[in-house]
Amino acid sequence: MVKVVSLGVEGRLGNLDQIAAIHTNIIKNGQEQDHFVVFELLRACSRFDAIDYAMEVFRRTRQPNVYVYTAIIDALVACGSSYHAISSYVHMIENSVCPDNFVVNSVLKACALELDLRVEFDDMQKVFDEMPQRDIVATTVMISSYSEHGLVDRALAVFDLPKVRDTVCWTAMIDGLVRNGEMSKSLECFRQMQREGVRANEVTAVCMLSACAYLGALELGKWVHSYIEKYAIKVNHFVASALVTMYLRCGSIREAERAFEEAKKKDVST
DNA sequence: ACTATTCGCG
């Protein structure tokens, strides 16, 4: 355990050195103001938790465009500095950089994070409402953050807005219902998803299987299992353990063992 | 060019 931690730190420092080396090269090549290059550099910093370095790179950028702002906001969100992420967005607007849906979605995430500290949802809803055109990703962010805070009705209200909803959006809603104990509503939601012809993925399957486990709905659980096989949904360890748990809760020890063996055979990864 | 969804296990 101790070894893993120290390896992690060493690896991180090594990578930070690499980033610094890359940065030096960028400066040498006169690409320090190249938005595309800065964007990639900021993302690299974020991947290695080098937020201070990212801030320094950002500060050196004279006229950041919307991509550069998105990268720094994402980096701030990733390290939990939702307040600074929101400030950066305000800064962007003040500098007359036109926002796109991507950066607004990043701010939505920051707002959602901020809600863990305060209890005011209106700012988030306002950002969402004032988007130039709402997209499905923003809707999904709203659904999952409302659900996370137990506000299922508000999640459902947002879910009702778009004309077309994709797999991820449906899954976020189903997950929200499951996590808030609205099991039968989650089943109904899944059925509606099927009716509208939206394909489920491995995340949807996990949510459904946990609802089935909770309700002891063996038949539906089996149906989901066959759906997984029919559409070759990848059985990662989430799906594998959800299958086993579902069969166990439904009292089908034999099926649980079979699912377990099946997963072992397939060498379940990630 | 960038954004969204899953309970982890010794």
Side-chain angles (χ1 to χ4, degrees):
Chain A
M1 184 54 133
V2 174
K3 199 174 181 184
V4 173
V5 171
S6 72
L7 277 176
V9 171
E10 281 163 21
R12 189 166 295 169
L13 289 174
N15 288 318
L16 185 52
D17 283 346
Q18 285 172 9
I19 287 174
I22 292 167
H23 189 204
T24 307
N25 264 318
I26 289 170
I27 295 169
K28 241 182 265 175
N29 292 338
Q31 294 172 304
E32 213 190 350
Q33 300 301 323
D34 183 321
H35 288 151
F36 181 78
V37 172
V38 172
F39 170 78
E40 292 295 346
L41 183 58
L42 287 175
R43 302 204 87 201
C45 292
S46 179
R47 269 198 298 280
F48 299 118
D49 286 334
I51 189 63
D52 294 335
Y53 206 103
M55 287 299 282
E56 186 54 31
V57 169
F58 179 76
R59 232 174 298 134
R60 286 160 159 267
T61 313
R62 277 192 286 277
Q63 301 280 336
N65 68 358
V66 67
Y67 292 97
V68 173
Y69 271 106
T70 305
I72 194 66
I73 290 171
D74 282 339
L76 287 165
V77 169
C79 76
S81 300
S82 49
Y83 178 82
H84 293 293
I86 294 168
S87 308
S88 298
Y89 180 70
V90 172
H91 187 263
M92 187 191 95
I93 298 301
E94 283 170 354
N95 285 12
S96 307
V97 175
C98 191
D100 64 7
N101 274 6
F102 290 92
V103 74
V104 175
N105 284 330
S106 297
V107 178
L108 275 180
K109 278 200 84 170
C111 292
L113 201 74
E114 193 70 1
L115 294 180
D116 290 335
L117 314 170
R118 315 212 239 132
V119 194
E120 183 55 76
F121 288 84
D122 295 341
D123 290 343
M124 181 177 67
Q125 183 71 48
K126 202 171 151 203
V127 171
F128 179 67
D129 289 340
E130 290 175 1
M131 280 179 84
Q133 75 253 350
R134 290 194 285 249
D135 69 11
I136 200 65
V137 177
T139 304
T140 306
V141 172
M142 295 292 286
I143 291 168
S144 54
S145 51
Y146 274 141
S147 299
E148 200 179 340
H149 292 271
L151 300 177
V152 195
D153 290 340
R154 293 186 84 156
L156 283 166
V158 173
F159 179 72
D160 269 333
L161 296 174
K163 291 173 285 288
V164 178
R165 287 164 297 211
D166 64 6
T167 300
V168 178
C169 186
W170 277 100
T171 302
M173 190 65 252
I174 292 169
D175 169 59
L177 291 167
V178 171
R179 285 212 315 247
N180 285 281
E182 300 278 9
M183 299 304 173
S184 38
K185 276 189 190 166
S186 76
L187 301 192
E188 179 48 40
C189 192
F190 179 70
R191 284 193 193 96
Q192 200 188 334
M193 179 187 182
Q194 297 310 113
R195 261 182 259 125
E196 295 189 15
V198 180
R199 187 72 60 82
N201 67 11
E202 73 277 10
V203 183
T204 327
V206 170
C207 298
M208 285 310 299
L209 289 170
S210 56
C212 291
Y214 185 87
L215 294 170
L218 180 59
E219 288 313 307
L220 183 57
K222 280 181 176 171
W223 189 86
V224 173
H225 193 173
S226 63
Y227 186 102
I228 289 167
E229 285 168 351
K230 182 175 171 190
Y231 292 106
I233 289 176
K234 53 174 184 278
V235 181
N236 58 25
H237 59 83
F238 290 116
V239 176
S241 80
L243 274 171
V244 172
T245 304
M246 181 278 292
Y247 281 125
L248 287 178
R249 292 273 166 77
C250 292
S252 301
I253 313 289
R254 192 164 305 158
E255 298 286 358
E257 284 170 345
R258 197 176 301 167
F260 180 67
E261 292 304 325
E262 197 65 27
K264 268 206 303 198
K265 236 191 322 196
K266 283 189 201 152
D267 182 35
V268 179
S269 53
T270 48

